[in-house]
């Protein structure tokens, strides 16, 4: 993995000068789920701590006999145990009399709503599981899920989990090509999708992308299709013998399907995330440890109580949705909100309307969303009754103090604690976070490792950096919801996460600790961009650009962006005979959107005659970042031909912004 020093970040110094602290109120602390002794207990013996949590929080079909088997970097948690995830998320709550409790208040973008109780979920998950069985799915078979934010999405995931069939959810914004790659990697037998969903006031069809993808996916036998758009999806064509409507096959199933007990380490799901190569990594998560980690963090960090209305506004297609819309909250029998559409439809106060209508008490979202709301002004949230909100969360990217304070004042009305939660697709659960009621927060800091988690900030040699200094964020000890590897590639798993600093998990993030030990996340230190809280690899976008016939070579860097955290800035060298033009710029952006998905569409595109390279031929991204930011150029002494930079600089004024 290439690790270049991070570019100088003056804003980080400003961040660290941020010394306002927000201690928890006595009233909040008195009623909080998490108390300080959670840290003490976990520190005394972290394995005993997790074992206690696992015994208390999980309904085991067979109890576990070992807590942790750690053969670095391969962990096995709760060995000997058997359980079923969907039983723990649904059945046991119904058995304990919570059948009429709402699991999800679902809100469609056009304004239609559905209320799904735990009893509804119990029935629908079993019917869906029976339908999957009829379609040939057995324990261990992989199922790809490509859906909008509709209730059938968590139902489909739970139906898979009921049978022990690992799912791989592909975010609905990804392209047909990306979907095909993911289906093939997982060798999925079944794709669960919908005719489409509503987005920004319009129907957005999904099935045609599945059809395109399926031209290249020999493993798929059937496609199960939820009807969401009906007549509004004219391009939804059902292939005879292959495609089945959800309402045709699921509705007629018996509402009983016994949960299949699986081993603790049985694979629950696969999820893709961008790494430092063109090919995304397929992260493996397993059952028991993931359930333990997500349910404990959910209850403690969001201070969830039985009558809370909890809304995680992420998409289920990302890990945040897996852990904190589906598995963690359902394991805790929480009432959740699930919203299909975008925050600006029909107006920029859609979220505040939902908070008011459903009396949402806990809101969890990304800084990009908060900054977008800031741009719309205070008047919109002020129009709504947000007094129900009592805890606010942030995830996915560093939150700048200004956005933190805006969130605190305008959404939390000055008295809801903010939990800035650091974690990753790989970590499965939140790892660095305040505990509301315990931790005094500082705007912009994710504060401290969760109980039982051992983090550190190390220098390039892996030596711990004293408080006050910065370096690389590492984790020193296994945790229950950690990834179990990269699917089909144990060598890459070891190499990517465990080789940079032997014995430590290298997260790929830079971090500083202040004099009081607070962690301040500084962004990625590898070739990964973070656009609106979504990870995109520079190399992935570069290969999508080079895949276009007009492009000879491309380089991509992240440019600081006031709204999305980072924006994609692409440099493209054209093949001989091709001329730069606005039209070609549009075509290239569209091409990237087609290969990866619209989220990867470059915001800036610069046609350039050459790229700065080291004498060994490596593109010097650091210089490109300087150019993208309009900064004074850093050291160019290792550059093969210094005039290249000047040539690009001359052009850079003309970088076209979309
Ligand atoms: O750089 C960190 C950033 O998001 C990366 C993980 O991305 P992903 O796997 O897509 O998961 C996102 C949702 C968990 C991290 O390596 N990141 C995530 N949360 C924070 C953050 N950076 C700063 N502060 C956070 N709270």
């Amino acid at each position: 993995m290439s690790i270049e020093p991070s570019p100088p970040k003056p804003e980080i110094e400003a961040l660290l000068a941020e010394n306002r602290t927000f201690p928890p109120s006595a009233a909040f602390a008195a009623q909080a789920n998490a108390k300080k002794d959670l840290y003490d207990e976990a520190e005394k013996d972290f394995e005993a701590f997790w074992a206690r949590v696992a015994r208390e929080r999980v309904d085991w079909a067979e109890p576990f006999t070992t807590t942790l088997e750690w053969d670095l970097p391969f962990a096995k948690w709760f060995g000997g145990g058997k359980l079923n995830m969907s039983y723990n998320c649904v059945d046991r709550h119904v058995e304990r009399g919570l059948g009429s409790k709402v699991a999800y208040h679902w809100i469609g973008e056009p304004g239609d709503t559905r209320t799904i109780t735990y009893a509804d979920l119990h029935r629908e998950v079993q019917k869906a599981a029976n339908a999957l069985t009829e379609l040939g799915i057995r324990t261990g078979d992989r199922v790809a899920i490509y859906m909008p934010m509709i209730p059938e999405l968590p139902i489909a995931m739970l139906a898979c989990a009921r049978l022990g069939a690992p799912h791989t959810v592909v975010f609905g914004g990804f392209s047909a090509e990306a979907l095909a790659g993911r289906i093939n990697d997982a060798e999925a037998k079944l794709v669960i999708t919908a005719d489409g969903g509503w987005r920004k006031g319009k129907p957005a069809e999904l099935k045609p992308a599945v059809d395109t993808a399926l031209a290249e996916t020999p493993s798929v036998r059937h496609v199960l299709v939820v009807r969401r758009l009906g007549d509004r999806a004219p391009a939804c064509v059902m292939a005879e013998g292959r495609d089945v409507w959800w309402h045709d096959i699921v509705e007629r199933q018996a509402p009983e399907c016994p949960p299949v007990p699986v081993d603790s380490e049985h694979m629950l799901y696969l999820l893709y995330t961008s790494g430092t190569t063109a090919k995304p990594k397929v992260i493996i998560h397993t059952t028991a440890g993931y359930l333990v980690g997500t349910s404990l963090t959910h209850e403690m960090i969001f201070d969830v109580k039985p009558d809370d209305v909890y809304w995680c506004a992420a998409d289920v297609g990302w890990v945040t949705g897996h852990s904190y819309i589906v598995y963690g909250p359902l394991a805790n029998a929480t009432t959740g909100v699930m919203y299909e559409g975008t925050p600006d439809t029909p107006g920029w106060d859609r979220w505040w309307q939902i908070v008011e209508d459903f009396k949402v008490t806990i809101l969890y979202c990304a800084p990009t969303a908060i900054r977008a709301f800031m741009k719309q002004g205070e008047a919109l949230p002020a129009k709504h009754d947000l007094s129900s909100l009592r805890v606010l969360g942030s995830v996915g990217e560093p939150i700048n103090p200004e956005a933190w304070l805006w969130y605190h004042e305008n959404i939390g009305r000055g008295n809801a604690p903010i939990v800035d939660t650091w974690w990753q697709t790989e970590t499965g659960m939140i790892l660095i976070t305040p505990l509301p009621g315990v931790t005094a927060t500082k705007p912009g800091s994710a504060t401290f490792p969760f109980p039982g988690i051992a983090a550190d900030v190390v220098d390039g040699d892996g030596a711990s950096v004293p408080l006050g200094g910065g370096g690389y964020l590492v984790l020193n000890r296994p945790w229950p919801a950690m990834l179990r590897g990269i699917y089909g590639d144990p060598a890459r798993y070891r190499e990517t996460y465990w080789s940079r600093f032997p014995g430590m998990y290298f997260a790929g993030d830079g971090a500083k600790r202040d004099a009081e030990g607070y962690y301040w996340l500084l962004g990625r230190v590898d070739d990964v961009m973070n656009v609106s809280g979504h990870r995109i690899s520079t190399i992935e976008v570069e290969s999508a650009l080079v895949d276009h016939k007009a492009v000879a070579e491309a380089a991509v860097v992240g440019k600081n962006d006031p709204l999305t955290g980072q924006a994609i800035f692409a440099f493209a060298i054209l093949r001989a005979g091709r001329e730069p033009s606005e039209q070609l710029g549009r075509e290239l952006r569209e091409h990237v959107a087609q290969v990866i998905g619209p989220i990867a569409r470059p915001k800036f595109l610069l046609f350039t005659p050459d790229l700065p390279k080291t004498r060994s031929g490596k593109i010097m991204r650091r210089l490109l970042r300087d150019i993208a930011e309009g900064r004074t150029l850093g050291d160019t002494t290792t550059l093969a031909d210094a005039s290249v930079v000047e040539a690009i600089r001359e052009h850079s004024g003309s970088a076209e912004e979309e």
Side-chain angles (χ1 to χ4, degrees), residues 230-278:
D231 295 347
R232 311 267 196 161
C236 181
V237 181
M238 300 292 280
E240 183 78 37
R242 186 195 72 185
D243 300 354
V244 195
W245 284 110
W246 179 285
H247 55 266
D248 280 343
I249 187 166
V250 176
E251 286 318 311
R252 63 175 165 75
Q253 300 295 328
E256 296 93 32
C257 171
V260 176
V262 296
D263 289 340
S264 290
E265 284 297 337
H266 187 77
M267 194 192 299
L268 177 66
Y269 69 79
L270 297 172
L271 191 61
Y272 281 72
T273 189
S274 292
T276 48
T277 66

Side-chain angles (χ1 to χ4, degrees), residues 364-383:
Y364 188 32
C365 67
T368 291
I370 299 163
R371 289 190 293 264
F373 293 129
M374 270 173 87
K375 231 173 115 181
Q376 305 301 322
E378 285 84 59
L380 285 175
K383 274 198 339 212

Side-chain angles (χ1 to χ4, degrees), residues 58-65 78-84 261-264 288:
V58 177
D59 275 60
W60 296 92
E62 275 175 39
F64 58 94
T65 47
F78 313 120
K82 280 188 188 289
L83 72 164
N84 182 277
V262 296
D263 289 340
S264 290

